[in-house]
Amino acid sequence: MSTTTATTVDHGATYSDLLIIQGAIVFFLQVGFVSLEVGYGRSKNVKNILLKNTVNILISAICWWAVGYAFSYGSSAGGFIGTSGFFHDGGLGAAKLWFYSWTFCLSTVTIVSGCLAERTSLVAYPVFTVLMASWVHPVAVHWAWSRESWLLNISSECRFLDFAGGTVVHICGGLMGLVGAALVGPRIGRFEEGRAKELPGHDVSSVAIGTLFLWFGWFGFNCGSAYVYMGNMAAAAAEAAATAVAAGDTSADVYATAAAAVSAAVTSGASATLQPGSTPADRVALNMTLCASVSGLTALLLSSLRSGTVDLCVCCNSLLAGLVMSTPACGFITSWAAVIYGLVAAALYMGGTRMLVRFHVDDPLESSAIHFGCGGVGTLMLALLARPTYVQELTGYDCGGLVYGGRKGAILLGLQLLGIVSITAWTGFFSVLVFYLLRRLGRLRVDQVTELAGLDNMEHGGPAYPEFNLVPYNTGSAER
């Protein structure tokens, strides 16, 4: 099989209609994100949180349709960026691919939004949303997932691996959120006299419900990606057979018949895989479940031993850290490796949140530590734990992690490092640029009066829970 045709999106491939359902499940992540952020926020800012997340959905859809999808998967200009398919109308493959990939873009934007909650000016959200959905995320996607990108064409023996978005979603979203949280500054009262003070959210039930909604949506995120890989490999088999037939190899007729069978299987949601009766999606579901469960339990146990209390929020956030950790890897690793990933995710979450406090970075949801830290390390650990047979099954490249031996493990390590550093530098540069400019223009943070009174009272016509409101408000701007 030709490895050059094995890519994350091939516009000539036949993809399962399950992608539409999987995309809808990924979209359901937004319910989880909103519920989680509302729970961690205070009651005086609930309307603001709901509105900004809703508007982000609307803006990102238009941006992804106009330019984002084209920059991601259009004909490549020097391996850097796509240059065709603007204002998508089917020219870059079926609309289900646009829809499914848009939900990934939307998730990336929402990660940033959570890091800036409760003190950021409303005008800042559309600005960074447009930048992320139209430029930062699409270019990163092109590098990591377009078969013509410079990153995927460095080596003929192996390729950069990111199963479902450890870099293009979680590093992009987590790092931009971290930079934004650092530049906007902490909420009033979060750090006083050199000490961190808790600003508890108003509804821990929303936190728990949101976490479970996110877990549900994540199955579409990761398992849905398996169907994209399966469609690509079927297309690669058909292309290889067609090439052989054109060259006069009559024995390839049998191979072409087999390729057609694989393509038909993909269309119906099944695939010819290494294990009869199984699909890569089965393995993905198992691995991400194990990773999340191990991470959640490990962090909960360690936290309770240290503090003497059993903290629901620690359990929820470490569970999410496990899901992030599984995202770049769940299709390429075994179940025992998923357990290792879960243990590492718990350690990264606990260490990352302590680092945020140490450097006085106020991230109300701890999203930057969860997404940036676990997304990057999860991608890097593939250089150790990626199973060669799984990598070949999904990409066509016969290479794997260092624990499986061989020179190709070292090549994979170099590629993973290069991909992580490149996407981190790309995202970091534009993150600093946009938030620094917003701060210089006085458009990044609300004034002190607005923050103390609550964004709902001052900017959104009153509180989300008027019967419990203790702060006078008006719907005009005269008093401001």
Side-chain angles (χ1 to χ4, degrees):
M1 181 179 296
S2 170
T3 58
T4 60
T5 59
T7 175
T8 303
V9 169
D10 185 330
H11 302 117
T14 301
Y15 294 101
S16 171
D17 285 339
L18 287 175
L19 277 185
I20 300 173
I21 299 174
Q22 297 290 348
I25 294 174
V26 178
F27 183 81
F28 199 76
L29 282 170
Q30 298 306 308
V31 180
F33 279 128
V34 169
S35 181
L36 193 73
E37 190 174 345
V38 165
Y40 276 123
R42 289 164 290 181
S43 60
K44 61 184 180 180
N45 298 314
V46 169
K47 275 188 179 179
N48 177 265
I49 291 171
L50 296 173
L51 177 63
K52 70 184 179 66
N53 280 279
T54 303
V55 171
N56 285 346
I57 296 173
L58 311 180
I59 294 174
S60 66
I62 295 172
C63 292
W64 195 248
W65 166 72
V67 297
Y69 188 70
F71 284 156
S72 299
Y73 299 115
S75 299
S76 186
F80 174 76
I81 191 171
T83 58
S84 63
F86 298 100
F87 302 97
H88 180 68
D89 62 356
L92 283 181
K96 58 189 165 189
L97 291 175
W98 178 91
F99 173 65
Y100 186 67
S101 60
W102 166 65
T103 61
F104 280 54
C105 171
L106 181 55
S107 298
T108 310
V109 169
T110 310
I111 292 168
V112 186
S113 176
C115 299
L116 304 173
E118 297 204 289
R119 76 277 201 195
T120 304
S121 173
L122 192 63
V123 74
Y125 292 102
V127 174
F128 76 71
T129 296
V130 170
L131 179 66
M132 177 63 84
S134 300
W135 183 246
V136 177
H137 174 71
V139 172
V141 168
H142 191 80
W143 293 358
W145 287 341
S146 171
R147 74 192 215 178
E148 299 175 324
S149 82
W150 65 270
L151 184 57
L152 296 192
N153 286 280
I154 293 175
S155 171
S156 61
E157 299 180 86
C158 202
R159 60 162 275 183
F160 173 74
L161 299 177
D162 182 354
F163 183 77
T167 54
V168 302
V169 173
H170 298 296
I171 284 183
C172 284
L175 180 55
M176 183 173 280
L178 176 62
V179 172
L183 289 179
V184 75
R187 292 166 292 172
I188 296 172
R190 180 68 174 97
F191 299 103
E192 293 183 350
E193 300 177 352
R195 291 189 175 186
K197 295 186 177 181
E198 293 294 330
L199 296 178
H202 81 288
D203 188 1
V204 72
S205 65
S206 287
V207 173
I209 293 170
T211 300
L212 296 178
F213 281 164
L214 285 167
W215 196 348
F216 172 76
W218 229 292
F219 283 109
F221 206 90
N222 289 348
C223 295
S225 296
Y227 293 100
V228 178
Y229 282 91
M230 290 152 61
N232 295 333
M233 295 310 294
E239 184 177 332
T243 301
V245 170
D249 184 0
T250 56
S251 64
D253 291 337
V254 177
Y255 187 59
T257 301
V262 173
S263 182
V266 171
T267 304
S268 65
S271 175
T273 63
L274 299 178
Q275 299 178 2
S278 176
T279 73
D282 300 344
R283 178 171 69 247
V284 169
L286 169 63
N287 287 342
M288 62 179 289
T289 301
L290 283 174
C291 193
S293 300
V294 170
S295 178
L297 287 173
T298 300
L300 182 63
L301 176 61
L302 294 177
S303 174
S304 63
L305 290 175
R306 187 179 65 184
S307 66
T309 60
V310 184
D311 193 330
L312 172 64
C313 292
V314 169
C315 180
C316 290
N317 280 359
S318 56
L319 183 160
L320 295 175
L323 291 172
V324 172
M325 193 84 176
S326 73
T327 300
C330 51
F332 300 127
I333 60 175
T334 61
S335 57
W336 63 264
V339 172
I340 296 174
Y341 263 67
L343 294 171
V344 174
L348 287 171
Y349 163 69
M350 298 185 71
T353 53
R354 296 186 70 177
M355 292 295 289
L356 290 176
V357 173
R358 181 182 180 89
F359 289 101
H360 288 193
V361 176
D362 182 14
D363 181 348
L365 279 67
E366 302 175 330
S367 297
S368 55
I370 293 170
H371 294 276
F372 179 52
C374 293
V377 174
T379 305
L380 181 61
M381 284 178 59
L382 281 169
L384 300 176
L385 298 173
R387 185 176 181 180
T389 50
Y390 292 163
V391 174
Q392 185 172 27
E393 177 189 14
L394 292 173
T395 71
Y397 285 83
D398 184 17
C399 67
L402 289 168
V403 299
Y404 293 96
R407 180 179 58 86
K408 292 182 180 180
I411 297 175
L412 181 58
L413 176 59
L415 291 172
Q416 297 302 102
L417 282 170
L418 179 61
I420 292 168
V421 170
S422 299
I423 292 174
T424 298
W426 170 259
T427 305
F429 173 78
F430 287 102
S431 299
V432 172
L433 179 64
V434 68
F435 288 117
Y436 176 76
L437 289 176
L438 284 169
R439 190 169 74 171
R440 289 283 294 178
L441 294 171
R443 298 293 184 179
L444 182 56
R445 183 166 183 147
V446 299
D447 59 73
Q448 187 177 38
V449 172
T450 299
E451 183 175 350
L452 290 174
L455 299 172
D456 291 357
N457 291 315
M458 302 299 287
E459 296 187 346
H460 302 291
Y465 312 112
E467 64 271 30
F468 299 115
N469 185 60
L470 300 178
V471 180
Y473 69 93
N474 72 335
T475 58
S477 59
E479 294 185 6
R480 295 182 58 194

